[in-house]
Amino acid sequence: MIQNSVPYKEKSIVFIGFMGSGKTTIGEAVAKKLYRDFIDIDQTIESEYGLSVTEIFNQYGEEEFREREKALIKKYSLHRLKVISVGGGAFLQEEIRNTCLENCIVFFLDLSWDSWKDRLDILVESRPVLQGRSIDDIRELFYNRKGIYALHNSKLNTDDLNVEEVSQYVIDSLKTSWELYN
Ligand code: S3P
């Protein structure tokens, strides 16, 4: 659990990126290829509460969700050999950024606004942060968030790539870094 003594190859991998950028799907695929456990922080919170993220926001408030998100990420980022997907707002919290960047390999799944905006309709119901916002507000949020995702170890633009292509790219890039830094 003391990360400085954890070999680079055993560090957990954290996926960051905007809502609906495929962090859960890619995280699961990468975990399977690496024979690692996969942890989705939003799903963990949802099962703890027995509620969806939208319901948690409505019943308990965003602040409580963010506290739980922080506590879980601080805990799991200290584990070895995991693949972790964190919500798109997690990196807004400095403590989360710090623990992930200090203890894990952080992978940013990027995509262009043009590719992302077509996903809005299927995302809005399950993403309280998008609800009640105009498309212009959402575009602004999308570009503002790029600033926090800029803090990463590795990045891939996923426009036009399928799940297999993205997960294979991630694995290849991890293998290269394991060879370089081991
Ligand atoms: C959020 C992103 C969501 C979820 C919550 C808040 C955000 O996760 O954590 O609705 O603020 O960007 P996904 O990025 O998995 O959609």
Side-chain angles (χ1 to χ4, degrees):
M1 293 273 281
I2 307 294
Q3 282 299 298
N4 286 338
S5 65
V6 172
Y8 187 75
K9 215 172 173 172
E10 294 184 19
K11 280 175 181 268
S12 290
I13 296 146
V14 173
F15 284 101
I16 63 165
F18 202 62
M19 289 163 264
S21 59
K23 301 179 296 284
T24 300
T25 310
I26 300 302
E28 257 168 352
V30 167
K32 203 169 168 194
K33 282 177 189 279
L34 293 175
Y35 302 96
R36 292 189 181 194
D37 290 336
F38 173 65
I39 296 154
D40 182 279
I41 299 297
D42 285 345
Q43 285 172 4
T44 307
I45 299 172
E46 287 182 328
S47 38
E48 280 181 358
Y49 281 78
L51 296 171
S52 69
V53 171
T54 299
E55 288 167 335
I56 298 167
F57 268 57
N58 290 339
Q59 291 182 32
Y60 295 92
E62 177 171 354
E63 206 176 312
E64 175 155 338
F65 174 84
R66 297 296 179 196
E67 282 305 311
R68 199 63 205 124
E69 176 178 53
K70 182 168 71 185
L72 285 168
I73 296 172
K74 283 174 83 169
K75 175 177 121 177
Y76 284 118
S77 63
L78 300 179
H79 286 219
R80 299 178 317 138
L81 293 166
K82 304 276 185 256
V83 176
I84 305 164
S85 160
V86 305
F91 255 43
L92 291 168
Q93 302 194 63
E94 191 180 1
E95 281 180 73
I96 294 182
R97 293 197 297 271
N98 289 345
T99 192
C100 291
L101 290 162
E102 277 165 22
N103 300 302
C104 306
I105 299 172
V106 177
F107 225 104
F108 170 31
L109 296 181
D110 194 15
L111 83 174
S112 68
W113 168 254
D114 276 342
S115 302
W116 185 83
K117 70 178 183 341
D118 298 334
R119 304 181 186 183
L120 177 58
D121 286 349
I122 52 165
L123 293 174
V124 74
E125 198 188 322
S126 56
R127 304 316 198 276
V129 171
L130 299 176
Q131 292 160 13
R133 286 190 194 240
S134 69
I135 189 76
D136 287 343
D137 284 352
I138 295 173
R139 192 194 299 111
E140 197 180 327
L141 181 71
F142 182 90
Y143 284 111
N144 283 344
R145 287 277 180 90
K146 286 208 183 258
I148 55 161
Y149 305 140
L151 298 160
H152 57 255
N153 300 112
S154 199
K155 164 184 154 170
L156 173 64
N157 183 295
T158 63
D159 287 3
D160 308 320
L161 298 179
N162 63 34
V163 175
E164 176 55 28
E165 288 167 330
V166 175
S167 53
Q168 198 50 53
Y169 176 92
V170 171
I171 301 279
D172 291 344
S173 127
L174 285 168
K175 283 185 176 161
T176 305
S177 70
W178 289 336
E179 277 168 26
L180 283 172
Y181 299 116
N182 239 355

